[in-house]
Amino acid sequence: MKKLVMGLDMGTTSVKAIIFDLDGNLVEEAEKMITSYYPKPDWVEQDPIEIERQSLAAIKEVVTKADVNKNELLGVGISCAMHSLICVDEGNQPLSQMIIWADGRSNEQAEALNKTFGKEIYMKTGTPIHPMSPMLKLLWMKETNYEPYRNAAYFMSMKDFLLQKWFGKRVIDYSMASATGLMHVNKLEWDEEVLELVGVKVDQLSRIVPPTEVLTGIDEATAAEMNISSNIPFVIGAADGQLANLGNGAISPGEVAVSVGTSGAIRQFTKGAPINEKQETFTYAFTADTSIIGGATNNGGIALQWLKDLLEFDGSHDAFLAGVENVEVGAKGILFLPYINGERAPLWNQKAKGNFFGLSIGHKKEHLARAVLEGITLNLYQIGKSLEEVAGKPESISVNGGLSKSPVWVQMMADVFGKEIHLSDTHHNAAWGAAWTALVGIGEVDSFEAIKDNIPTGKLIQPNQSNHEAYKAIYEKYEKIARDLSVYFT
């Protein structure tokens, strides 16, 4: 009998259900898209009922496509995007849409808190004071007398909402709880002072549990609709960032993982929960004694898509980037600050704006495209420098995500960082991390670290040392311009 495991990955743009064998090889996948709504400027919402139904549909589809015997599937692990918030009534029905990480409605509250005791909160929670944080969303709700907030019995992330619906239990894993900005990252419990600030009681939040928490007894009608056994164990898993690192095998200190899709992040696991005094990075718990440190950027592939749309280029991304590899390092003098969508790390300023610096009449499309790719990469490098202050210099760097499909960008990463790049053989790292967590939770494997021997082999990209030296000088200029312009981001 085959042994298989599933990872359910609830992201920002889609839900993916992916079945793997125990070596991490893809057996079958299914993807269901998620709709985002923009009811007002800076507001970004999604429908939690839609996401739950799409999750169910994705599981049903992948089980059907793989023709899985119910006894072959050992378990399901869950990955979820961070920073979501839903107001829920006594009957566990949503009173609000789900407010997601990209929502900026609480910008005023973030600015005000940063001028008072925001750092004190950050040093306890490890979560930057930024509109992405559910803590700031709750503060906005309290101060604006938001009706769903007033009537809510509970406040949930997308993951605990789904688990409540399927299992009738209100639980949240360490990492998802940590990313709310409401949990004390060292004590691994809800922080009473922060809860008092936002007007929320402990019993309105889910019980905090480890990522290996096993849930059984799924609602039988739900199991039947998914075409799985109601006895199959689900393991709560973690947030997508932690699990993307795990799925890449970047789990030991010094092993850095970079994920770049629409947005991007650079992250590293560490023992304990050290926090950056400069407030430039986050520290989110994973297990009782490990955390992940890093920084997320709002501006990954979305910046490239923006330029493509701006220039009204109708072809593929590959066609749009044709010729970029022939443009000299530094894009013939253009520097691009990629803050077109506000910014999280390293600025944590939702009012940040993008800029081209150094344009001249001789520049063409391929110069602009290279400048945008370089701006995305230099921004990640800047976040990485902040990460080094807490976690030390990276010993290895792995890369995954949609932008990693571009050979010119992956080579650029190697050249900017001056490091060998481990290019993942799969774009489903978070799902494989979730699946492996399920295997740990049910006792099928011994440890998280053992995943290193169960990752499909990827490619190694070597840096061009002369390009790296050129980028060191370009970065000094980039960093100075970014710092000098930041005073105008109002």
Side-chain angles (χ1 to χ4, degrees):
M1 185 180 72
K2 293 183 294 184
K3 288 186 176 183
L4 304 173
V5 64
M6 184 189 301
L8 177 66
D9 183 13
M10 295 183 286
T12 302
T13 57
S14 67
V15 176
K16 298 173 186 175
I18 303 173
I19 294 176
F20 302 90
D21 66 20
L22 269 57
D23 292 321
N25 297 305
L26 177 70
V27 174
E28 194 56 82
E29 62 183 306
E31 181 175 18
K32 300 295 182 181
M33 304 311 293
I34 298 170
T35 307
S36 292
Y37 303 94
Y38 306 87
K40 294 183 181 181
D42 295 328
W43 290 31
V44 191
E45 300 179 342
Q46 295 177 343
D47 181 354
I49 297 295
E50 177 197 3
I51 296 170
E52 185 268 332
R53 298 306 299 173
Q54 292 291 63
S55 299
L56 188 154
I59 291 175
K60 179 180 181 180
E61 180 179 327
V62 77
V63 168
T64 302
K65 286 166 66 175
D67 193 23
V68 176
N69 181 301
K70 291 185 179 182
N71 295 321
E72 293 174 339
L73 192 59
L74 299 178
V76 181
I78 306 174
S79 168
C80 187
M82 290 178 271
H83 309 303
S84 55
L85 180 65
I86 313 163
C87 300
V88 180
D89 69 13
E90 284 280 4
N92 295 302
Q93 296 302 309
L95 296 173
S96 69
Q97 294 281 62
M98 181 175 76
I99 305 176
I100 70 170
W101 63 268
D103 188 279
R105 72 185 69 184
S106 61
N107 192 59
E108 289 184 9
Q109 284 73 24
E111 288 183 345
L113 202 55
N114 272 321
K115 292 175 182 177
T116 53
F117 46 89
K119 184 174 182 179
E120 178 185 331
I121 294 174
Y122 166 78
M123 294 303 294
K124 291 196 296 181
T125 65
T127 305
I129 306 301
H130 184 272
M132 68 174 185
S133 165
M135 185 271 287
L136 268 299
K137 295 173 172 65
L138 286 166
L139 189 57
W140 174 87
M141 291 178 179
K142 177 184 176 184
E143 293 183 356
T144 61
N145 204 27
Y146 185 57
E147 185 175 354
Y149 166 88
R150 292 200 322 266
N151 297 328
Y154 310 112
F155 299 97
M156 297 184 181
S157 76
M158 184 59 226
K159 189 193 288 189
D160 33 329
F161 176 78
L162 178 140
L163 294 177
Q164 169 64 47
K165 196 163 184 63
W166 288 359
F167 293 90
K169 297 177 181 178
R170 286 193 299 119
V171 288
I172 186 169
D173 66 84
Y174 292 151
S175 60
M176 292 294 289
S178 191
T180 65
L182 302 170
M183 188 188 88
H184 195 295
V185 72
N186 283 293
K187 297 179 181 178
L188 299 178
E189 59 187 38
W190 301 118
D191 188 274
E192 293 280 4
E193 291 181 352
V194 180
L195 295 192
E196 184 177 355
L197 173 68
V198 299
V200 171
K201 297 176 181 177
V202 170
D203 60 9
Q204 291 183 287
L205 301 173
S206 301
R207 180 170 59 89
I208 302 172
V209 298
T212 51
E213 179 83 1
V214 179
L215 300 171
T216 55
I218 190 171
D219 175 76
E220 289 194 5
T222 301
E225 195 170 349
M226 292 177 181
N227 198 26
I228 63 172
S229 167
S230 61
N231 296 320
I232 189 169
F234 279 66
V235 176
I236 192 169
D240 53 359
Q242 283 86 335
L243 294 175
N245 270 54
L246 176 62
N248 250 336
I251 191 168
S252 301
E255 297 174 342
V256 171
V258 179
S259 301
V260 184
T262 302
S263 56
I266 178 168
R267 301 174 294 259
Q268 179 178 331
F269 277 109
T270 186
K271 294 293 183 183
I275 296 176
N276 185 327
E277 287 275 354
K278 294 181 180 179
Q279 304 183 70
E280 292 175 340
T281 54
F282 56 71
T283 301
Y284 297 146
F286 176 56
T287 65
D289 56 1
T290 62
S291 300
I292 199 162
I293 302 175
T297 169
N298 289 354
N299 301 287
I302 194 173
L304 192 65
Q305 183 64 47
W306 164 79
L307 180 67
K308 187 171 177 284
D309 293 343
L310 183 69
L311 298 179
E312 298 182 346
F313 188 89
D314 294 330
S316 67
H317 274 82
D318 288 343
F320 185 65
L321 293 177
V324 165
E325 69 273 14
N326 299 321
V327 175
E328 64 194 60
V329 167
K332 201 176 179 180
I334 304 177
L335 283 173
F336 178 64
L337 301 182
Y339 317 135
I340 59 166
N341 194 31
E343 192 50 293
R344 286 180 284 174
L347 305 179
W348 301 106
N349 186 347
Q350 196 59 26
K351 292 184 177 180
K353 300 293 187 292
N355 287 270
F356 279 110
F357 176 88
L359 285 171
S360 69
I361 200 167
H363 287 127
K364 299 180 180 179
K365 171 186 75 69
E366 54 265 32
H367 296 103
L368 294 177
R370 182 169 189 107
V372 168
L373 282 178
E374 289 182 338
I376 294 167
T377 311
L378 290 168
N379 193 40
L380 287 166
Y381 183 73
Q382 186 175 15
I383 300 169
K385 299 290 281 186
S386 297
L387 183 58
E388 283 183 22
E389 294 183 17
V390 182
K393 288 187 177 296
E395 296 174 7
S396 67
I397 300 176
S398 59
V399 170
N400 65 83
L403 203 54
S404 66
K405 297 176 184 178
S406 165
V408 67
W409 179 74
V410 175
Q411 185 62 57
M412 191 180 290
M413 277 288 298
D415 294 349
V416 169
F417 280 79
K419 292 280 188 181
E420 181 180 76
I421 296 294
H422 299 251
L423 184 60
S424 175
D425 194 45
T426 175
H427 300 293
H428 302 309
N429 304 88
W432 177 227
W436 189 263
T437 303
L439 295 175
V440 175
I442 63 175
E444 182 69 25
V445 297
D446 293 334
S447 67
F448 290 111
E449 289 76 13
I451 196 173
K452 290 177 179 291
D453 298 322
N454 295 273
I455 296 174
T457 303
K459 298 177 182 176
L460 295 178
I461 311 298
Q462 301 298 329
N464 179 308
Q465 215 43 51
S466 63
N467 286 352
H468 177 60
E469 292 302 317
Y471 275 125
K472 284 167 67 175
I474 291 167
Y475 173 72
E476 287 185 14
K477 187 175 182 180
Y478 170 92
E479 195 274 336
K480 185 177 187 303
I481 292 171
R483 183 177 64 248
D484 291 348
L485 284 181
S486 64
V487 297
Y488 301 106
F489 297 151
T490 59

